[in-house]
């Protein structure tokens, strides 16, 4: 229970940091987006692989990402075992790296790549693990957010469909590479006789 509470505190701190960064970004006329946004195929845009998920174009942009981050982050906190850091690293680095390599010419910003990565991970892990808990989480995420899958296709101006697509794919990769069982057995001290 302490681990879950700690994970939820970290999630709340992350969301608070996103809002603080957005306030600073807004106060500086969105200069952070220019300095730390992901710019495909430009060496100066490489830091955007890590910067992209914490930058947004407006308060409305961040507000649209906050509820799925909160719900999916809570599901991850409640169901993932010891692999949260590795899962997030794969989603951010692989997803952002693919946007940097293959993305359209623009400054890519926003936590939606992370949202799609968590979505891809939760759904794929439910299908891979097939435990009642992970299947339930996959079903809940699929019912509540399944329609977001349409935004992995190009078409909406100003939306990084590449971040959506590569985020979702990197989440699936994370589910396949990192097998996390909800109730993974832990080695405890064993008395030797």
């Amino acid at each position: 229970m302490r681990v879950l509470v700690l994970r939820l505190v970290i999630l709340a701190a992350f969301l608070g940091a996103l809002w603080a960064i957005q306030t600073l970004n807004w106060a500086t006329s969105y200069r952070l987006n220019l300095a730390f946004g992901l710019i495909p195929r430009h060496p100066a845009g490489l830091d955007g692989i890590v910067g992209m998920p914490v930058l947004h174009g407006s308060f409305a942009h961040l507000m649209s990402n906050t509820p799925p981050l909160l719900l999916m982050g809570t599901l991850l906190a409640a169901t993932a075992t010891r692999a949260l850091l590795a899962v997030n690293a794969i989603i951010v680095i692989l997803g952002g790296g693919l946007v940097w390599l293959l993305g359209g010419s623009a400054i890519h910003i926003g936590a939606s790549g992370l949202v799609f990565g968590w979505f891809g991970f939760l759904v794929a892990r439910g299908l891979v693990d097939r435990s009642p808990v992970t299947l339930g989480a996959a079903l809940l995420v699929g019912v509540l957010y399944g329609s977001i899958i349409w935004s992995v296709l190009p078409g909406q101006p100003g939306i990084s469909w590449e971040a959506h697509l590569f985020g979702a794919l990197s989440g699936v990769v994370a589910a396949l590479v990192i097998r996390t069982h909800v109730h993974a057995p832990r080695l405890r001290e064993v008395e030797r006789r």
Side-chain angles (χ1 to χ4, degrees):
M1 188 61 153
R2 285 182 296 176
V3 172
L4 175 59
V5 170
L6 176 62
R7 288 176 180 173
L8 292 176
V9 167
I10 292 169
L11 175 63
F14 173 67
L15 290 172
L18 289 181
W19 282 90
I21 291 167
Q22 171 56 25
T23 302
L24 178 63
N25 203 8
W26 170 79
T28 60
S29 302
Y30 292 95
R31 287 194 179 112
L32 295 178
N33 291 351
L34 297 172
F36 301 108
L38 189 151
I39 303 168
R41 293 169 301 284
H42 288 275
L46 270 171
D47 57 356
I49 290 172
V50 176
M52 178 177 65
V54 300
L55 299 171
H56 290 83
S58 67
F59 283 100
H61 183 200
L62 177 55
M63 189 60 214
S64 70
N65 282 328
T66 298
L69 284 171
L70 184 59
L71 175 73
M72 290 185 225
T74 300
L75 288 172
L76 280 171
T79 64
T81 54
R82 291 156 265 193
L84 281 175
L85 188 58
V87 166
N88 284 303
I90 288 173
I91 291 169
V92 169
I93 294 169
L94 178 61
L98 288 170
V99 172
W100 188 84
L101 284 172
L102 304 169
S105 181
I107 297 175
H108 295 259
I109 52 167
S112 56
L114 187 59
V115 167
F116 277 78
W118 288 356
F119 175 84
F121 176 79
L122 287 165
V123 171
R125 188 183 58 158
L127 299 173
V128 169
D129 186 42
R130 289 188 229 142
S131 79
V133 172
T134 57
L135 281 171
L139 182 63
L140 179 63
V141 167
V143 167
L144 292 177
Y145 291 105
S147 64
I148 68 171
I149 204 70
W150 295 112
S151 64
V152 301
L153 302 173
Q156 291 183 304
I159 301 228
S160 177
W161 63 271
E162 299 99 322
H164 296 178
L165 174 64
F166 296 134
L169 290 175
S170 64
V172 171
V173 167
L176 295 173
V177 171
I178 301 170
R179 299 296 175 99
T180 65
H181 298 289
V182 175
H183 301 291
R186 293 185 179 171
L187 229 46
R188 302 205 184 265
E189 275 189 40
V190 179
E191 284 186 30
R192 294 183 187 207
R193 296 181 191 208

